[in-house]
Amino acid sequence: MWVILGVIAIVVTFINLYMYTAGKDYKLAMAMGLSFTALTLCAEYSLVSNWVEVEDWAALEDVVPGMERALWFLTIVSILLNIAPILLERKGERGR
């Protein structure tokens, strides 16, 4: 499930950036991008929780260390890409 939510978050983030460059209202796409990022993190946490419940220590040892770094990186990138239009608008307003 987390993979599907993650792909949706990526697609919506690029829609957000496209809408900004096209001069359209991008705020709903931005909110959806950030929301799907949060849902991806929740789904991943649920997966890890299930592994703990069934005591699948091998899965935890193999997956969690790498996923932690990946999730931190991808979450930070998602936040930066989704708020980039707002930052660019503010920068443009200061330059006027």
Side-chain angles (χ1 to χ4, degrees):
M1 178 60 92
W2 67 270
V3 174
I4 295 168
L5 293 170
V7 169
I8 293 170
I10 291 168
V11 169
V12 174
T13 297
F14 282 109
I15 291 171
N16 170 25
L17 295 171
Y18 168 76
M19 292 180 77
Y20 170 73
T21 57
K24 298 180 180 180
D25 187 18
Y26 59 86
K27 292 179 178 90
L28 178 61
M30 178 184 64
M32 288 177 59
L34 292 171
S35 297
F36 276 104
T37 299
L39 291 172
T40 302
L41 294 173
C42 291
E44 178 64 25
Y45 191 85
S46 294
L47 178 65
V48 170
S49 177
N50 289 336
W51 287 340
V52 170
E53 286 177 10
V54 297
E55 299 180 5
D56 190 352
W57 307 123
L60 290 166
E61 289 174 350
D62 288 344
V63 174
V64 171
M67 285 304 296
E68 179 208 3
R69 286 184 288 278
L71 291 172
W72 273 106
F73 174 75
L74 293 171
T75 301
I76 291 168
V77 169
S78 175
I79 292 168
L80 292 175
L81 286 176
N82 277 293
I83 66 169
I86 291 175
L87 299 175
L88 291 171
E89 276 187 356
R90 288 191 176 188
K91 183 180 177 185
E93 289 175 1
R94 283 189 220 159
R96 293 182 185 165

